[in-house]
Amino acid sequence: MDKLFTPVKVGDTTLHNRIVMAPMTRSRATVGDTADALTAKYYQQRASAGLIITEGSQISVQGQGYLFTPGIYNDEQVKGWELSTKAVHDAGGKIYVQLWHVGRISHPSLQKDGQLPVSSVPVKAQNATCYARNENGEPGPVPVPTPRALSIAEIQDVVQDYVRAAKNAIRAGFDGVEIHAANGYLLEQFINGGLNVRTDQYGGINPENRLRFVLEVTDAISQSIGAEKTGIRLAPFGRLFDMHAFEGEEETWLLLADKLSKRSLAYVHLSDQKTLGEQAIPDGFIDTFRAAYSGTLIVAGGFDKSRAESYLQQGKTDLIGFGRPYIANPDLAERLANDWPLNEVNRATMYGGDETGYTDYPFWSDTPGNTE
Ligand SMILES: Cc1cc2nc3c(=O)[nH]c(=O)nc-3n(C[C@H](O)[C@H](O)[C@H](O)COP(=O)(O)O)c2cc1C
């Protein structure tokens, strides 16, 4: 029997299968950076996943790096997200929101009073662009500037921004939150020893210091909404956005695994960046991480049904995250269950725009002649 279609408990929520829709930015929040009825339709179409994790949702103005991404820091945004949580719940699904702070992958034009974006250290991400308005006011990719380092007091302010966002998530009706600590954004800018050479208690050679910020965020959120509603996404050995190899890299991730084990979180979610064009998590490391981490695990990146089933059967992970297949297949769970063919993703409509390439991908049953 396929393990993919067996129930699993995640935190305080029981999921009807082990299929997770991975978080994916779609940049369609064109009014007030607020999720709307179209967002709700998109997620409702995908509610047969065991768990939906939304696109990254910025926790503050400072945390935004791309135009048209939905925030979760004000009341309008909470109201906007309520449409999605209700739509998914009405369809029998479960939904977590991904809490996002981009750190240095931003631009003064997106920041309050045109300030510089922030990071662990004042070091620019090479060859990186965010998505902002150019000098002519037109949206497009813009090179990121050299950021400024957060002061210790400001780090505490960011922790509070995470807490506000997590409380807002519960108000909006989400089943829980996922802390985005992956893919080269703010929290990984502190974890990564190749970048974070701060000399205070938030950086440097000692991994305890580089992990302090992410653990403070994790603890503050867990205390405010419950550890059983708090998940976290990590990208061990990730190289997106100019993250570099560093000495003690494996030890850092395993120390984090150990520390997270003690926190009884809903889950840890590993993001393998291979299909995003970066190196894969090294061979065997997922097993090493699994041995070091005692809680529920999700792994995402490059899965089809047979690889997913093989990972589950071998006990490498508890759930599987599917990214791009979920963009093009609203009924991915049914397609996998029945071995129906998948629609292809159109890359041109991944980011921005309207319902085209968003809510208009056909369900299998939409095609004449396809009947169950
Ligand atoms: C269009 C797009 C947007 C993405 N946005 C996010 C995001 O907001 N947060 C995140 O953690 N990962 C994001 N990712 C990464 C996916 O969650 C996933 O890890 C990745 O696509 C690999 O899985 P796949 O091979 O199944 O697509 C994005 C990926 C794509 C293709």
Side-chain angles (χ1 to χ4, degrees), residues 341-353:
L342 303 188
N343 300 319
E344 290 296 320
V345 182
N346 179 358
R347 294 174 59 91
T349 50
M350 270 187 181
Y351 300 104

Side-chain angles (χ1 to χ4, degrees), residues 31 35 57 71 74 101 109 122 143 164 175 205 216 219 232 267 285 321 327 341-342 349:
V31 182
S57 185
N74 67 35
H101 191 309
S109 64
R164 176 185 57 193
D175 297 291
I205 293 169
E216 284 182 0
D219 289 341
I232 185 167
Y267 64 80
F285 184 74
I327 291 181
L342 303 188
T349 50

Side-chain angles (χ1 to χ4, degrees), residues 22-26 55-56 98 100 178 180 183 233 271-272 275-276 300-303 321-325 327 350-351:
M24 281 177 295
T25 293
R26 305 303 311 275
E55 62 211 281
Q98 190 184 50
W100 194 18
E178 175 174 286
H180 193 349
N183 300 352
R233 190 170 217 214
S271 162
D272 184 316
T275 51
L276 298 175
F303 282 95
F322 293 87
R324 291 153 311 147
I327 291 181
M350 270 187 181
Y351 300 104

Side-chain angles (χ1 to χ4, degrees), residues 204-223:
I205 293 169
N206 183 349
E208 299 267 351
N209 286 349
R210 282 181 279 108
L211 296 177
R212 193 175 309 281
F213 187 16
V214 69
L215 290 170
E216 284 182 0
V217 168
T218 306
D219 289 341
I221 291 179
S222 299
Q223 276 154 26

Side-chain angles (χ1 to χ4, degrees), residues 315-370:
K316 284 171 170 293
T317 185
D318 301 297
L319 298 104
I320 303 287
F322 293 87
R324 291 153 311 147
Y326 251 120
I327 291 181
N329 296 279
D331 53 349
L332 183 68
E334 290 81 358
R335 287 177 189 256
L336 296 181
N338 294 290
D339 295 316
W340 293 332
L342 303 188
N343 300 319
E344 290 296 320
V345 182
N346 179 358
R347 294 174 59 91
T349 50
M350 270 187 181
Y351 300 104
D354 52 19
E355 63 271 16
T356 308
Y358 191 47
T359 52
D360 66 350
Y361 280 107
F363 287 66
W364 184 83
S365 56
D366 290 341
T367 305
N370 285 353

Side-chain angles (χ1 to χ4, degrees), residues 29-351:
T30 47
V31 182
D33 299 325
T34 298
D36 59 14
L38 187 63
T39 324
K41 180 175 179 189
Y42 166 71
Y43 286 118
Q44 185 174 45
Q45 289 177 334
R46 288 155 180 78
S48 59
L51 178 65
I52 292 172
I53 303 166
T54 71
E55 62 211 281
S57 185
Q58 60 270 10
I59 60 163
S60 59
V61 172
Q62 187 190 65
Q64 183 168 13
Y66 305 83
L67 288 167
F68 315 130
T69 55
I72 185 148
Y73 54 85
N74 67 35
D75 288 343
E76 283 310 304
Q77 293 165 345
V78 170
K79 275 194 221 136
W81 276 125
E82 273 171 7
L83 303 173
S84 289
T85 60
K86 182 170 185 318
V88 169
H89 290 151
D90 285 352
K94 303 285 181 192
I95 182 166
Y96 273 41
V97 61
Q98 190 184 50
L99 302 185
W100 194 18
H101 191 309
V102 296
R104 65 180 180 166
I105 309 301
S106 183
H107 187 266
S109 64
L110 293 166
Q111 298 287 316
K112 199 166 161 228
D113 304 326
Q115 290 179 45
L116 283 175
V118 299
S119 188
S120 53
V121 289
V123 176
K124 174 178 147 146
Q126 298 297 327
N127 305 318
T129 55
C130 62
Y131 195 82
R133 290 192 189 277
N134 63 22
E135 313 84 66
N136 307 324
E138 285 146 11
V142 178
V144 299
T146 301
R148 64 185 183 83
L150 283 170
S151 69
I152 290 179
E154 286 175 315
I155 289 175
Q156 295 312 314
D157 292 342
V158 176
V159 172
Q160 290 317 310
D161 288 343
Y162 274 103
V163 169
R164 176 185 57 193
K167 288 182 177 162
N168 282 346
I170 299 305
R171 276 208 290 146
F174 284 105
D175 297 291
V177 305
E178 175 174 286
I179 300 163
H180 193 349
N183 300 352
Y185 295 113
L186 182 67
L187 294 172
E188 202 180 272
Q189 292 161 27
F190 276 76
I191 296 170
N192 187 282
L195 178 67
N196 181 3
V197 293
R198 289 173 76 104
T199 51
D200 61 14
Q201 67 267 40
Y202 286 96
I205 293 169
N206 183 349
E208 299 267 351
N209 286 349
R210 282 181 279 108
L211 296 177
R212 193 175 309 281
F213 187 16
V214 69
L215 290 170
E216 284 182 0
V217 168
T218 306
D219 289 341
I221 291 179
S222 299
Q223 276 154 26
S224 64
I225 64 164
E228 72 286 356
K229 292 185 185 300
T230 305
I232 185 167
R233 190 170 217 214
L234 310 173
F237 299 90
R239 298 288 178 260
L240 267 177
F241 288 128
D242 204 27
M243 293 286 112
H244 291 276
F246 58 96
E247 211 177 310
E249 191 164 11
E250 175 154 342
E251 289 77 4
T252 297
W253 293 113
L254 294 179
L255 180 63
L256 184 53
D258 179 57
K259 288 181 179 289
L260 293 174
S261 291
K262 302 189 172 92
R263 286 168 160 83
S264 305
L265 300 179
Y267 64 80
V268 169
H269 182 179
L270 300 183
S271 162
D272 184 316
Q273 299 172 346
K274 188 160 180 214
T275 51
L276 298 175
E278 299 292 340
Q279 68 175 22
I281 296 176
D283 265 359
F285 184 74
I286 290 175
D287 297 327
T288 311
F289 189 94
R290 175 84 156 159
Y293 175 64
S294 60
T296 302
L297 191 66
I298 307 173
V299 179
F303 282 95
D304 58 13
K305 182 179 173 181
S306 72
R307 183 164 174 249
E309 198 50 43
S310 148
Y311 265 58
L312 292 172
Q313 294 291 352
Q314 291 176 67
K316 284 171 170 293
T317 185
D318 301 297
L319 298 104
I320 303 287
F322 293 87
R324 291 153 311 147
Y326 251 120
I327 291 181
N329 296 279
D331 53 349
L332 183 68
E334 290 81 358
R335 287 177 189 256
L336 296 181
N338 294 290
D339 295 316
W340 293 332
L342 303 188
N343 300 319
E344 290 296 320
V345 182
N346 179 358
R347 294 174 59 91
T349 50
M350 270 187 181
Y351 300 104

